[in-house]
Amino acid sequence: MKNRFCVIGEKLGHTRSPQIHDLFFSLKGEKGVYDVKEIKREDIGSCRDFLLGYDGVNVTIPYKKDVMKNLDRISEEAEKIGAVNTVKKVGDKLEGYNSDPYGFSAMLKSRDINVAGAKVVVLGWGGAARSVVHSLKEQGACVTVVSRDPSNVDEKEIRAISYAILEEECAKGFKGRLIVNCTPVGMYPNEGKSPVGESVIARFDALADIVYNPMYTEFLRIGAKLGKRCAGGLYMLVAQAMKSQSIWRGEEVDEGISAKIFKKLSYEEALKNGLNIYLTGIMSCGKSTLGKMLAKATGRRFIDMDEYIVEREVRTIPQLFAEGEKTFRDAESRALYELSLEKGLIVATGGGVIKRARNRDILLLSGATVFVKRNIDNIIKTADCSERPLLSDGAEKLRSIYAARKSRYYASAQAVLNNDGDEKEGLEKLLETVGEKEIKL
């Protein structure tokens, strides 16, 4: 199979496409070339010969519409959207497709966000918003587009309103399933901004942001504070790239590959930017011990999340549980959100932090999460149940607790550390896992 591809755009200094596709080739055990080519605006309408030099080409802003002049055939979906981001060479012909709708739907699916029959609000009306709206309509959502100039929204069966109207309707009690940011507000280097405020975000169950740099935008931070489900744009970027590969290859790429590449990219991005390192796992797996040792070895600040909760709530863990497990879990979610706003911490989380979906979202968005895995039999032999309300019936209960949580530990972590040796061996493994050495997929 031929594997010569390229991405074209006006400014591509920060593109992640080569990294994503190179990881794909690695997972498939294939060799491939993925080039980057910046093209001047005046040349995009006559670059057919260049496009024919590759088996497939990705197109990014601002050329997704103008590149269509070079193509012999355009898919029905791309025609409806009015933009092409994937070009496939077939003989001496060029075909155009758009993989963004698939990428967006895959992003929602990865966070278990279902919009069928639901009210969804999309912020912005650029090219990306058109793809998102197309995807939402295909999923059966009732879509409203919010734009600074609603008269520009020409999509059929779509209600268009201004930001002022959105705020008014939310103040009057409007409730929606999902709100999607399709604007560049909050994108690097202009971080710390959100296209809408807390009073609007509070009226939705979930948020999705197509911005992927930073991963944890201000828009998503507000949603996390309010306990909403949050989906970040990096997963969409990876999934749409894998859809391009499906188009070029003529066969569907397994969804699991998108998940693996996303985890690797988000993990390495978090480490590169000095974000928090979260250690998750069942109680007594060694999170706190290894976390303290790692903090000493790296000069980072260590936080034991249970101790943080006790100090914050001015009550012991048993006292919080005495009021009901929900009381403790609420305190745990508040604590995780607060810690997610900081950088450079090493956080040993509680064993049940992954029970709540919104917590799992925060772990993946705000840092590098390592699942500390230890043989359950070894844990039961040494577990201290005296201060653990969930183990009041004895350590054997750990088996059922771990069985119920195991899949969530894996889902919310980007790396796994097997911790069945001694402390020194565990630290060596952890240092390697969070260091500069290659992270295995």
Side-chain angles (χ1 to χ4, degrees), residues 413-433:
Q414 298 115 319
V416 178
L417 175 73
N418 290 310
N419 188 36
D420 286 311
D422 57 26
E423 293 178 1
K424 181 180 179 182
E425 181 183 349
L427 177 60
E428 289 176 351
K429 288 182 178 180
L430 187 53
L431 282 167
E432 181 177 350
T433 301

Side-chain angles (χ1 to χ4, degrees), residues 267 271 277-280 285-298 302 346-348 368-373 415-419 422-437 439:
Y267 187 78
L271 293 176
I277 295 174
Y278 299 106
L279 303 181
T280 63
C285 68
K287 302 185 298 288
S288 294
T289 299
L290 290 179
K292 291 175 182 177
M293 295 170 70
L294 180 64
K296 184 177 180 180
T298 60
F302 172 75
I346 294 173
V347 181
T369 302
V370 180
F371 168 29
V372 179
K373 182 182 177 184
V416 178
L417 175 73
N418 290 310
N419 188 36
D422 57 26
E423 293 178 1
K424 181 180 179 182
E425 181 183 349
L427 177 60
E428 289 176 351
K429 288 182 178 180
L430 187 53
L431 282 167
E432 181 177 350
T433 301
V434 301
E436 298 181 357
K437 294 184 179 181
I439 305 300

Side-chain angles (χ1 to χ4, degrees), residues 226-282:
L226 298 173
K228 311 298 182 181
R229 293 303 312 269
C230 294
L234 184 58
Y235 199 100
M236 177 178 173
L237 181 71
V238 172
Q240 65 83 21
M242 293 304 96
K243 184 61 176 179
S244 291
Q245 283 289 346
S246 295
I247 292 168
W248 295 329
R249 300 166 73 88
E251 60 184 29
E252 290 299 316
V253 171
D254 186 272
E255 291 181 359
I257 291 182
S258 290
K260 287 182 178 180
I261 294 175
F262 162 74
K263 284 192 173 185
K264 182 174 176 66
L265 285 182
S266 61
Y267 187 78
E268 292 181 345
E269 186 72 12
L271 293 176
K272 182 179 74 173
N273 291 313
L275 303 186
N276 293 342
I277 295 174
Y278 299 106
L279 303 181
T280 63
I282 198 71

Side-chain angles (χ1 to χ4, degrees), residues 99-108 235-241 243:
S99 65
D100 283 336
Y102 173 86
F104 180 75
S105 63
M107 176 176 72
L108 296 188
Y235 199 100
M236 177 178 173
L237 181 71
V238 172
Q240 65 83 21
K243 184 61 176 179

Side-chain angles (χ1 to χ4, degrees), residues 10 41 57 85 154 164-165 223 232 264 277 287 347 361 431 438:
E10 186 177 30
R41 283 179 178 267
V57 176
N85 79 335
D154 53 0
I165 295 298
K264 182 174 176 66
I277 295 174
K287 302 185 298 288
V347 181
D361 295 343
L431 282 167
E438 184 73 8

